[in-house]
Tab-separated table of all heavy atoms in Angstrom:
chain	number	residue	atom	x	y	z
Z	1	SER	N	0.819	-1.256	-0.022
Z	1	SER	CA	0.003	0.044	0.031
Z	1	SER	C	0.868	1.229	-0.002
Z	1	SER	O	2.073	1.153	0.287
Z	1	SER	CB	-0.861	0.010	1.247
Z	1	SER	OG	-1.696	-1.121	1.270
Z	2	THR	N	0.230	2.434	-0.331
Z	2	THR	CA	0.996	3.602	-0.258
Z	2	THR	C	0.694	4.345	1.104
Z	2	THR	O	-0.207	3.901	1.896
Z	2	THR	CB	0.515	4.627	-1.375
Z	2	THR	OG1	-0.926	4.577	-1.526
Z	2	THR	CG2	1.198	4.212	-2.683
Z	3	VAL	N	1.404	5.377	1.371
Z	3	VAL	CA	1.318	6.080	2.685
Z	3	VAL	C	0.840	7.542	2.385
Z	3	VAL	O	1.351	8.225	1.432
Z	3	VAL	CB	2.640	6.165	3.372
Z	3	VAL	CG1	2.639	7.051	4.609
Z	3	VAL	CG2	3.082	4.758	3.740
Z	4	CYS	N	-0.205	8.011	3.066
Z	4	CYS	CA	-0.667	9.377	2.853
Z	4	CYS	C	0.262	10.423	3.403
Z	4	CYS	O	0.835	10.327	4.479
Z	4	CYS	CB	-2.083	9.551	3.543
Z	4	CYS	SG	-3.218	8.268	3.000
Z	5	ASN	N	0.472	11.534	2.629
Z	5	ASN	CA	1.470	12.531	3.026
Z	5	ASN	C	0.744	13.581	3.925
Z	5	ASN	O	1.405	14.592	4.289
Z	5	ASN	CB	2.110	13.144	1.888
Z	5	ASN	CG	1.272	14.116	1.000
Z	5	ASN	OD1	0.036	14.164	1.205
Z	5	ASN	ND2	1.871	14.792	0.101
Z	6	SER	N	-0.500	13.414	4.311
Z	6	SER	CA	-1.197	14.401	5.145
Z	6	SER	C	-0.493	14.573	6.521
Z	6	SER	O	-0.582	15.647	7.105
Z	6	SER	CB	-2.682	14.012	5.318
Z	6	SER	OG	-2.740	12.600	5.646
Z	7	THR	N	0.182	13.528	6.984
Z	7	THR	CA	0.902	13.619	8.225
Z	7	THR	C	2.347	13.167	8.027
Z	7	THR	O	3.027	12.669	8.991
Z	7	THR	CB	0.306	12.788	9.406
Z	7	THR	OG1	0.181	11.453	8.903
Z	7	THR	CG2	-1.116	13.286	9.786
Z	8	TRP	N	2.878	13.247	6.824
Z	8	TRP	CA	4.211	12.755	6.500
Z	8	TRP	C	5.178	13.910	6.661
Z	8	TRP	O	5.484	14.661	5.759
Z	8	TRP	CB	4.255	12.198	5.123
Z	8	TRP	CG	5.598	11.484	4.787
Z	8	TRP	CD1	6.556	11.943	3.917
Z	8	TRP	CD2	6.064	10.248	5.269
Z	8	TRP	NE1	7.553	11.146	3.876
Z	8	TRP	CE2	7.325	10.017	4.699
Z	8	TRP	CE3	5.519	9.357	6.157
Z	8	TRP	CZ2	8.064	8.875	4.964
Z	8	TRP	CZ3	6.337	8.212	6.464
Z	8	TRP	CH2	7.541	7.982	5.859
Z	9	TYR	N	5.667	14.092	7.919
Z	9	TYR	CA	6.587	15.123	8.231
Z	9	TYR	C	8.023	14.649	8.354
Z	9	TYR	O	8.311	13.536	8.131
Z	9	TYR	CB	6.120	15.942	9.499
Z	9	TYR	CG	4.712	16.484	9.307
Z	9	TYR	CD1	3.681	15.990	10.114
Z	9	TYR	CD2	4.436	17.449	8.420
Z	9	TYR	CE1	2.383	16.536	9.954
Z	9	TYR	CE2	3.209	18.028	8.213
Z	9	TYR	CZ	2.151	17.545	9.029
Z	9	TYR	OH	0.884	18.053	8.917
Z	10	ARG	N	8.884	15.558	8.806
Z	10	ARG	CA	10.327	15.233	8.886
Z	10	ARG	C	10.524	14.006	9.880
Z	10	ARG	O	11.353	13.132	9.568
Z	10	ARG	CB	11.139	16.498	9.333
Z	10	ARG	CG	12.626	16.160	9.267
Z	10	ARG	CD	13.469	17.396	9.311
Z	10	ARG	NE	14.784	16.998	9.010
Z	10	ARG	CZ	15.357	16.950	7.822
Z	10	ARG	NH1	14.666	17.426	6.746
Z	10	ARG	NH2	16.638	16.593	7.675
Z	11	THR	N	9.804	13.973	10.965
Z	11	THR	CA	10.010	12.906	11.977
Z	11	THR	C	9.692	11.557	11.318
Z	11	THR	O	10.485	10.617	11.427
Z	11	THR	CB	9.076	13.164	13.191
Z	11	THR	OG1	9.391	14.401	13.751
Z	11	THR	CG2	9.342	12.079	14.289
Z	12	GLU	N	8.529	11.474	10.669
Z	12	GLU	CA	8.168	10.209	10.073
Z	12	GLU	C	9.152	9.809	8.966
Z	12	GLU	O	9.559	8.586	8.913
Z	12	GLU	CB	6.752	10.308	9.415
Z	12	GLU	CG	5.595	10.420	10.387
Z	12	GLU	CD	5.442	11.792	11.038
Z	12	GLU	OE1	6.025	12.787	10.518
Z	12	GLU	OE2	4.733	11.842	12.016
Z	13	ALA	N	9.592	10.724	8.169
Z	13	ALA	CA	10.519	10.402	7.101
Z	13	ALA	C	11.890	9.938	7.671
Z	13	ALA	O	12.524	9.058	7.125
Z	13	ALA	CB	10.703	11.669	6.218
Z	14	THR	N	12.307	10.646	8.797
Z	14	THR	CA	13.574	10.285	9.418
Z	14	THR	C	13.544	8.891	10.011
Z	14	THR	O	14.479	8.089	9.765
Z	14	THR	CB	13.892	11.257	10.577
Z	14	THR	OG1	13.938	12.585	10.054
Z	14	THR	CG2	15.196	10.979	11.320
Z	15	VAL	N	12.412	8.503	10.635
Z	15	VAL	CA	12.255	7.098	11.144
Z	15	VAL	C	12.436	6.135	10.013
Z	15	VAL	O	13.167	5.133	10.192
Z	15	VAL	CB	10.873	6.930	11.845
Z	15	VAL	CG1	10.633	5.494	12.118
Z	15	VAL	CG2	10.800	7.838	13.081
Z	16	LEU	N	11.810	6.380	8.915
Z	16	LEU	CA	11.964	5.457	7.749
Z	16	LEU	C	13.266	5.373	7.209
Z	16	LEU	O	13.862	4.294	6.981
Z	16	LEU	CB	10.886	5.800	6.664
Z	16	LEU	CG	10.895	4.735	5.508
Z	16	LEU	CD1	10.604	3.374	6.013
Z	16	LEU	CD2	9.973	5.226	4.430
Z	17	CYS	N	13.967	6.528	6.969
Z	17	CYS	CA	15.292	6.539	6.418
Z	17	CYS	C	16.254	5.690	7.305
Z	17	CYS	O	17.008	4.870	6.807
Z	17	CYS	CB	15.869	7.924	6.253
Z	17	CYS	SG	15.145	8.917	4.925
Z	18	ARG	N	16.085	5.922	8.627
Z	18	ARG	CA	17.020	5.201	9.517
Z	18	ARG	C	16.691	3.675	9.601
Z	18	ARG	O	17.582	2.863	9.624
Z	18	ARG	CB	16.905	5.780	10.952
Z	18	ARG	CG	17.550	7.165	10.945
Z	18	ARG	CD	17.467	7.823	12.326
Z	18	ARG	NE	18.007	9.178	12.311
Z	18	ARG	CZ	18.033	9.986	13.314
Z	18	ARG	NH1	17.541	9.553	14.538
Z	18	ARG	NH2	18.526	11.211	13.209
Z	19	THR	N	15.373	3.369	9.594
Z	19	THR	CA	14.960	1.941	9.590
Z	19	THR	C	15.591	1.196	8.350
Z	19	THR	O	16.000	0.057	8.443
Z	19	THR	CB	13.414	1.838	9.543
Z	19	THR	OG1	12.887	2.502	10.605
Z	19	THR	CG2	13.049	0.330	9.622
Z	20	LEU	N	15.579	1.854	7.252
Z	20	LEU	CA	16.073	1.285	5.967
Z	20	LEU	C	17.594	1.344	5.876
Z	20	LEU	O	18.155	0.843	4.866
Z	20	LEU	CB	15.485	1.980	4.781
Z	20	LEU	CG	13.982	1.841	4.598
Z	20	LEU	CD1	13.443	2.682	3.395
Z	20	LEU	CD2	13.605	0.366	4.428
Z	21	GLY	N	18.287	1.875	6.865
Z	21	GLY	CA	19.707	2.050	6.828
Z	21	GLY	C	20.127	3.028	5.749
Z	21	GLY	O	21.266	2.922	5.145
Z	22	CYS	N	19.357	4.074	5.564
Z	22	CYS	CA	19.618	5.064	4.489
Z	22	CYS	C	19.978	6.477	5.028
Z	22	CYS	O	19.966	7.393	4.224
Z	22	CYS	CB	18.346	5.171	3.625
Z	22	CYS	SG	18.000	3.738	2.647
Z	23	GLY	N	20.408	6.554	6.259
Z	23	GLY	CA	20.853	7.865	6.784
Z	23	GLY	C	19.688	8.722	7.148
Z	23	GLY	O	18.756	8.353	7.844
Z	24	ASP	N	19.762	10.006	6.726
Z	24	ASP	CA	18.749	11.012	7.118
Z	24	ASP	C	18.025	11.523	5.896
Z	24	ASP	O	18.334	11.252	4.783
Z	24	ASP	CB	19.416	12.138	7.863
Z	24	ASP	CG	19.246	12.011	9.375
Z	24	ASP	OD1	18.170	11.568	9.856
Z	24	ASP	OD2	20.252	12.174	10.123
Z	25	VAL	N	17.028	12.454	6.153
Z	25	VAL	CA	16.121	12.894	5.184
Z	25	VAL	C	16.700	14.055	4.364
Z	25	VAL	O	17.268	15.017	4.959
Z	25	VAL	CB	14.784	13.411	5.799
Z	25	VAL	CG1	13.785	13.789	4.689
Z	25	VAL	CG2	14.177	12.368	6.711
Z	26	LEU	N	16.606	14.007	3.067
Z	26	LEU	CA	16.954	15.156	2.227
Z	26	LEU	C	15.651	15.839	1.740
Z	26	LEU	O	15.549	17.099	1.834
Z	26	LEU	CB	17.783	14.729	1.016
Z	26	LEU	CG	19.236	14.372	1.267
Z	26	LEU	CD1	19.879	13.833	-0.017
Z	26	LEU	CD2	20.078	15.565	1.826
Z	27	GLN	N	14.712	15.066	1.201
Z	27	GLN	CA	13.459	15.666	0.598
Z	27	GLN	C	12.296	14.751	0.914
Z	27	GLN	O	12.523	13.560	1.182
Z	27	GLN	CB	13.626	15.812	-0.946
Z	27	GLN	CG	14.655	16.823	-1.395
Z	27	GLN	CD	14.865	16.591	-2.900
Z	27	GLN	OE1	15.681	15.683	-3.279
Z	27	GLN	NE2	14.156	17.294	-3.725
Z	28	ARG	N	11.153	15.350	0.756
Z	28	ARG	CA	9.921	14.596	0.940
Z	28	ARG	C	8.965	14.812	-0.234
Z	28	ARG	O	7.993	15.510	-0.181
Z	28	ARG	CB	9.183	14.967	2.274
Z	28	ARG	CG	9.947	14.428	3.466
Z	28	ARG	CD	9.254	14.823	4.768
Z	28	ARG	NE	9.456	16.263	5.085
Z	28	ARG	CZ	8.501	17.158	5.286
Z	28	ARG	NH1	7.219	16.812	5.152
Z	28	ARG	NH2	8.772	18.444	5.545
Z	29	PRO	N	9.363	14.217	-1.380
Z	29	PRO	CA	8.472	14.471	-2.612
Z	29	PRO	C	7.128	13.749	-2.491
Z	29	PRO	O	6.909	12.862	-1.666
Z	29	PRO	CB	9.308	13.801	-3.713
Z	29	PRO	CG	10.105	12.783	-3.051
Z	29	PRO	CD	10.465	13.271	-1.644
Z	30	ALA	N	6.176	14.205	-3.359
Z	30	ALA	CA	4.823	13.554	-3.349
Z	30	ALA	C	4.673	12.812	-4.634
Z	30	ALA	O	5.207	13.202	-5.720
Z	30	ALA	CB	3.813	14.651	-3.189
Z	31	PHE	N	3.880	11.751	-4.587
Z	31	PHE	CA	3.573	10.915	-5.746
Z	31	PHE	C	2.035	10.655	-5.725
Z	31	PHE	O	1.309	11.043	-4.847
Z	31	PHE	CB	4.250	9.560	-5.637
Z	31	PHE	CG	5.799	9.675	-5.654
Z	31	PHE	CD1	6.482	9.961	-4.453
Z	31	PHE	CD2	6.474	9.586	-6.781
Z	31	PHE	CE1	7.810	10.039	-4.429
Z	31	PHE	CE2	7.869	9.634	-6.793
Z	31	PHE	CZ	8.588	9.898	-5.583
Z	32	GLY	N	1.560	10.015	-6.816
Z	32	GLY	CA	0.171	9.536	-6.837
Z	32	GLY	C	-0.109	8.295	-6.120
Z	32	GLY	O	0.871	7.476	-6.000
Z	33	HIS	N	-1.304	8.063	-5.652
Z	33	HIS	CA	-1.657	6.778	-5.017
Z	33	HIS	C	-2.072	5.809	-6.105
Z	33	HIS	O	-3.075	6.138	-6.849
Z	33	HIS	CB	-2.885	6.972	-4.053
Z	33	HIS	CG	-2.623	7.723	-2.811
Z	33	HIS	ND1	-1.824	7.213	-1.817
Z	33	HIS	CD2	-2.976	8.934	-2.407
Z	33	HIS	CE1	-1.750	8.061	-0.789
Z	33	HIS	NE2	-2.473	9.112	-1.140
Z	34	THR	N	-1.408	4.728	-6.298
Z	34	THR	CA	-1.869	3.752	-7.277
Z	34	THR	C	-2.033	2.318	-6.778
Z	34	THR	O	-2.283	1.391	-7.500
Z	34	THR	CB	-0.847	3.652	-8.507
Z	34	THR	OG1	0.476	3.393	-7.959
Z	34	THR	CG2	-0.853	5.014	-9.267
Z	35	LEU	N	-1.801	2.162	-5.466
Z	35	LEU	CA	-1.912	0.842	-4.850
Z	35	LEU	C	-3.231	0.745	-4.043
Z	35	LEU	O	-3.831	1.760	-3.766
Z	35	LEU	CB	-0.730	0.545	-3.906
Z	35	LEU	CG	0.623	0.483	-4.635
Z	35	LEU	CD1	1.727	0.329	-3.590
Z	35	LEU	CD2	0.673	-0.714	-5.659
Z	36	PRO	N	-3.716	-0.468	-3.775
Z	36	PRO	CA	-5.069	-0.668	-3.208
Z	36	PRO	C	-5.261	0.067	-1.782
Z	36	PRO	O	-6.355	0.506	-1.538
Z	36	PRO	CB	-5.259	-2.161	-3.088
Z	36	PRO	CG	-3.883	-2.759	-3.257
Z	36	PRO	CD	-3.110	-1.782	-4.068
Z	37	GLY	N	-4.250	-0.021	-0.959
Z	37	GLY	CA	-4.475	0.468	0.439
Z	37	GLY	C	-3.809	1.786	0.713
Z	37	GLY	O	-2.946	2.185	-0.096
């Protein structure tokens, strides 16, 4: 599923970057929703 950007702030993005072993956040671009959930 995709994630809604209505509450996608720096904290949320930072948690994900670190979980994936990808360091810290540079940008938070927006995309279209094309998955079911």
